[in-house]
Amino acid sequence: MSNSQGALRLVLGDQLSESLSALDDADPARDVVLMIESIAEATAWKHHKQKLVLVWSAMRQFAERLGARGLQVRYVTLDDPNNSRTIVGEVKRALSEGAFDRVVRTACGKWGLEQALLSLEVGVPIETREDDRFLCSRAEFAGWAEGRHELRMEFFYREMRRRTGLLMDGDKPAGGRWNFDPENRKKLPKGVRPPKRLRTPPNATTRTVIEVVSTGFEDHFGTLEAFGWPTNAEEAEVALQHFLDHMLPEFGDWQDAMAWEQPFLWHGLISPALNIGLLDPLDVCRRAEAVWREGRAPLNAVEGFIRQIIGWREFVRGVYWLKMPEYGRRNALEAEGKLPWFYWSGDTDMACVADAVRSARDHAYAHHIQRLMVTGNLAMLLGVHPDAVDDWYMVVFADAYEWVEMPNTRGMATFADGGIVGSKPYAASGAYIDRMSDYCKGCRYDVKQRLGDDACPFNALYWDFIDRHAQRLAGNGRMMMPLKTLKGMDEAERRAFREKAAALRSAMGV
């Protein structure tokens, strides 16, 4: 392997794109691509077994792809006896064993690792390039945010629509509206179920990695039997096309719906592939737009899908880099509780929570309403410390990376950021879950009861939450109605909610 005074090009496990900026102008004769199966990164959180399989299988296949292009790849496997376990350690080892005149890398998605790489002193220059797979650079987002009293995704999203031209008719939004969310909040009618869902059977490389993970990381969360994630660009393309052809047309109507033992419904299931670089976000959005323009899917479905990518995905990344590291210490509601055990076991009589946890265990997945309004909402109502919520989301989901996870959990799910991401706490009683799902029909608890042994726990916890934080929330216009209802309660009822909530927290080990 010749590496005489070439560049060492670092490619991380979520940077598996042939268009990666670190690979631009790579010289096959002189440069070496460094890829590392890092034990430290795999165990910083005890990531779901399926996530480990996804990332390592995809990395191995990507390395083969680069080799087929003629690039030299230094691939450090888990079982390499000289594996130093860390990314920084492997950069140093590669430099000590080869003659390189510089390191070239793409900025990463984790604040701590980024700081470690930026501060690395190795005797040669380290060139850090923009991750231009995102549509809005960190500097551009900071420019957009400057001087704004509030950062609201809706206004950022409109700017991204104008910039990309997606769903635009000239300088106006297609259909005369920027946002069709009101059309996307339907409960799934009885008997309506999605078409059979395409899953990706493990290929040979994936099967090998499944064996590695099942024997070497058996104490990590989750099961492997139902693994079905794409692990290379071709598989991701097939999964995307299946969604565009068969699921997107009805995605809009039912995107907020939940149903017992229906973990996927009409959702895209492309975020794991998107977040490691197997799909290009702008290409995905343009193809979804084409489906609408060809008359094969309604505008509310396509707009809602595109908003999740160029709106939320880009927005939360921008917030993360704008506000870190202070953002990761925010705890605006002063929550100090522990995460209940059933977030790991699914052993709870709350049907909605049990179903979401089982989905996470078996598929490393739950859709955004299950994350926000079931597991996130419950953690916020209970007063679970945001660090514990962050850790859980990072462990259990295949698409979780700190830049996307933290603003969604610390911002949207728990309001720990005090309103940077969300305009209000997304607190809800059992009535919301009943309205958007069929969970309550088969639940041991009665969603109509607010107090008593058979009452849905969400109900007392909700009113206790509003009561505990009434002063904090008093200036929030979107919380006027629940605060007004609380004010109309007599003290005996409020006390009963407080006592019931305290008993629930105690029983749940919070």
Side-chain angles (χ1 to χ4, degrees):
M1 180 180 290
S2 171
N3 56 7
S4 176
Q5 294 300 299
L8 182 67
R9 296 177 181 266
L10 178 63
V11 173
L12 302 177
D14 60 349
Q15 297 180 339
L16 309 181
S17 306
E18 291 196 64
S19 62
L20 189 74
S21 58
L23 298 175
D24 288 349
D25 64 31
D27 182 347
R30 300 170 64 243
D31 296 350
V32 173
V33 177
L34 174 61
M35 299 181 68
I36 306 145
E37 293 179 357
S38 167
I39 299 169
E41 291 299 313
T43 56
W45 292 278
K46 282 194 171 183
H47 293 290
H48 197 296
K49 293 184 183 78
Q50 290 194 26
K51 184 178 182 182
L52 297 181
V53 171
L54 166 66
V55 173
W56 288 333
S57 176
M59 286 177 66
R60 293 181 183 194
Q61 292 173 78
F62 188 70
E64 291 178 3
R65 195 181 191 102
L66 294 182
R69 282 175 46 188
L71 290 169
Q72 302 178 70
V73 181
R74 178 186 173 109
Y75 193 95
V76 183
T77 58
L78 290 169
D79 59 0
D80 183 336
N82 296 313
N83 188 332
S84 62
R85 301 175 64 90
T86 70
I87 290 168
V88 166
E90 284 308 300
V91 171
K92 290 180 177 179
R93 184 162 75 95
L95 290 171
S96 72
E97 295 177 1
F100 299 98
D101 59 15
R102 60 189 172 129
V103 176
V104 179
R105 71 181 190 90
T106 296
C108 72
K110 182 180 176 184
W111 189 87
L113 179 59
E114 182 70 359
Q115 300 312 303
L117 290 169
L118 285 172
S119 61
L120 190 59
E121 295 183 4
V122 289
V124 296
I126 299 178
E127 179 185 345
T128 302
R129 296 179 176 178
E130 184 76 37
D131 191 344
D132 54 15
R133 299 174 302 166
F134 290 92
L135 306 180
C136 182
S137 72
R138 288 155 55 176
E140 288 168 337
F141 187 87
W144 173 83
E146 187 175 2
R148 291 178 183 268
H149 177 62
E150 292 181 326
L151 304 181
R152 290 293 167 257
M153 188 281 295
E154 179 64 26
F155 300 110
F156 171 77
Y157 167 59
R158 295 178 187 184
E159 179 61 30
M160 295 301 291
R161 288 271 294 276
R162 294 186 186 99
R163 183 187 300 187
T164 61
L166 288 163
L167 296 180
M168 297 295 292
D169 289 336
D171 60 354
K172 303 292 184 183
R177 289 161 55 191
W178 293 103
N179 187 314
F180 287 80
D181 208 32
E183 280 81 40
N184 296 343
R185 298 172 181 168
K186 298 176 183 177
K187 180 176 181 175
L188 202 61
K190 185 177 181 179
V192 174
R193 289 293 182 265
K196 182 175 175 57
R197 199 59 197 253
L198 175 72
R199 300 291 282 158
T200 305
N203 59 37
T205 301
T206 301
R207 290 195 298 271
T208 298
V209 179
I210 285 174
E211 287 299 315
V212 171
V213 171
S214 63
T215 56
F217 296 85
E218 62 274 9
D219 60 338
H220 282 230
F221 179 76
T223 63
L224 287 166
E225 288 75 13
F227 185 93
W229 300 109
T231 56
N232 59 50
E234 289 78 15
E235 291 176 350
E237 165 63 25
V238 171
L240 171 62
Q241 194 60 53
H242 175 81
F243 167 73
L244 295 175
D245 290 341
H246 301 287
M247 317 309 288
L248 181 57
E250 295 187 271
F251 165 75
D253 287 352
W254 320 122
Q255 68 170 283
D256 283 5
M258 299 175 285
W260 178 256
E261 293 187 341
Q262 292 288 330
F264 306 135
L265 295 175
W266 285 266
H267 287 268
L269 307 187
I270 63 168
S271 55
L274 200 60
N275 287 354
I276 62 174
L278 301 182
L279 292 170
D280 174 76
L282 185 56
D283 175 66
V284 168
C285 290
R286 284 175 173 159
R287 288 168 64 181
E289 179 185 30
V291 173
W292 167 66
R293 293 200 182 275
E294 292 162 7
R296 296 190 291 123
L299 183 55
N300 70 303
V302 175
E303 186 278 318
F305 175 71
I306 287 175
R307 179 165 18 101
Q308 289 189 358
I309 297 177
I310 69 169
W312 271 117
R313 186 173 187 268
E314 297 282 337
F315 178 75
V316 297
R317 177 181 182 260
V319 168
Y320 176 82
W321 286 110
L322 184 69
K323 298 295 184 178
M324 282 295 281
E326 185 270 342
Y327 192 85
R329 298 189 289 269
R330 282 183 169 256
N331 187 4
L333 299 182
E334 299 178 357
E336 297 295 338
K338 298 176 183 178
L339 193 73
W341 76 91
F342 53 74
Y343 273 71
W344 301 109
S345 68
D347 184 19
T348 172
D349 288 335
M350 288 180 283
C352 56
V353 179
D355 194 55
V357 173
R358 281 196 294 267
S359 177
R361 179 195 66 200
D362 294 340
H363 303 292
Y365 175 83
H367 73 66
H368 68 287
I369 297 300
Q370 291 172 311
R371 299 188 199 198
L372 175 63
M373 301 307 298
V374 176
T375 54
N377 177 30
L378 180 60
M380 179 174 64
L381 298 182
L382 288 168
V384 176
H385 195 290
D387 286 355
V389 184
D390 277 349
D391 289 347
W392 186 76
Y393 279 80
M394 281 297 296
V395 166
V396 306
F397 294 125
D399 57 5
Y401 294 87
E402 198 173 69
W403 63 266
V404 66
E405 172 274 325
M406 187 179 286
N408 271 298
T409 57
R410 205 168 283 252
M412 284 292 287
T414 66
F415 204 66
D417 72 358
I420 293 173
V421 169
S423 57
K424 67 164 189 170
Y426 278 82
S429 68
Y432 175 87
I433 295 167
D434 189 33
R435 186 165 68 249
M436 296 307 302
S437 76
D438 61 2
Y439 288 139
C440 300
K441 293 175 183 175
C443 187
R444 163 249 188 286
Y445 296 106
D446 185 349
V447 71
K448 304 297 184 185
Q449 288 190 38
R450 303 204 296 180
L451 294 165
D453 292 342
D454 294 329
C456 172
F458 277 91
N459 294 337
L461 289 170
Y462 172 77
W463 287 112
D464 172 70
F465 175 86
I466 301 298
D467 198 358
R468 281 186 291 122
H469 298 293
Q471 188 172 350
R472 265 194 190 93
L473 302 175
N476 189 314
R478 296 189 68 190
M479 299 301 294
M480 287 179 62
M481 288 302 295
L483 288 170
K484 183 178 179 181
T485 301
L486 178 75
K487 192 173 182 180
M489 293 180 187
D490 60 38
E491 178 55 31
E493 188 174 19
R494 292 172 70 163
R495 183 169 61 251
F497 283 132
R498 289 195 294 268
E499 291 173 354
K500 174 68 173 177
L504 287 166
R505 283 193 290 273
S506 177
M508 294 178 187
V510 177

